[in-house]
Amino acid sequence: MTRSTDLDGLIALGTARARSRRQSLTPLRTQVLAVLAAQSRPLGAYDIQRALSASKHMSPISIYRSLEFLMEIGLVHRLATQSAYVLLKRPPAENETLLCLVCRSCGEVDEVSSPAVGQTLGSTLAAASFTPASRLMEVEGDCSDCRRRMSLSHPG
């Protein structure tokens, strides 16, 4: 399944964020962003490399560097549970807690903002005198579509 993503809008956002850091959204970074935008599932760096190598050879280190940059500017998240990367549908606002809901059956990733989790996390972080690099959390489980399919295949 592909997702409908405003690639031009993402590129404009990425360009603005890169410029604010006195850097640029290079052609390779733009291509990596486009590959991720075309997919609804997380992709590994080698998946991205294969998708791009159809046009020319790309070294894995170049892909990893591009992914790292896209993570730094808040457009991409690395899912630790899958060692894969996903385009954030909506980059989180400052101090917003964003939950990435990862379906362990189909691999789809959804994002939800949770003020309640954010408030509890904020209190916990303050009590620990800890400043997070990110307020993005992963939760692994089964999406509603997969649960429905499982209940139909195993009734009762």
Side-chain angles (χ1 to χ4, degrees):
M1 170 189 280
T2 59
R3 65 164 81 174
S4 74
T5 302
D6 175 15
L7 184 57
D8 291 337
L10 279 171
I11 291 170
L13 179 61
T15 299
R17 288 185 177 185
R19 279 190 185 139
S20 73
R21 301 165 60 104
R22 294 195 164 111
Q23 295 179 306
S24 64
L25 192 65
T26 64
L28 179 57
R29 291 170 179 167
T30 302
Q31 290 171 340
V32 170
L33 190 61
V35 169
L36 287 169
Q39 297 297 314
S40 62
R41 297 173 197 244
L43 295 175
Y46 286 95
D47 298 323
I48 296 167
Q49 179 192 21
R50 276 191 292 280
L52 294 175
S53 66
S55 58
K56 59 182 173 177
H57 177 70
M58 296 283 162
S59 71
I61 192 69
S62 296
I63 303 298
Y64 280 111
R65 285 183 184 144
S66 293
L67 287 164
E68 184 176 317
F69 178 80
L70 294 170
M71 287 187 300
E72 288 172 7
I73 64 171
L75 296 180
V76 171
H77 175 64
R78 181 181 178 274
L79 296 172
T81 56
Q82 298 182 4
S83 295
Y85 300 85
V86 65
L87 180 71
L88 292 175
K89 295 175 188 168
R90 182 186 55 81
E94 189 173 334
N95 292 324
E96 177 185 25
T97 300
L98 194 62
L99 304 175
C100 288
L101 308 178
V102 182
C103 182
R104 61 187 174 177
S105 299
C106 69
E108 295 287 328
V109 177
D110 198 9
E111 299 163 14
V112 295
S113 179
S114 176
V117 171
Q119 188 173 22
T120 302
L121 179 62
S123 298
T124 303
L125 294 171
S129 295
F130 188 81
T131 303
S134 169
R135 291 179 65 113
L136 217 64
M137 301 171 72
E138 293 176 41
V139 180
E140 197 174 35
D142 297 308
C143 70
S144 60
D145 289 341
C146 288
R147 279 196 326 274
R148 190 170 25 278
R149 278 193 293 275
M150 285 184 245
S151 69
L152 292 175
S153 64
H154 301 357

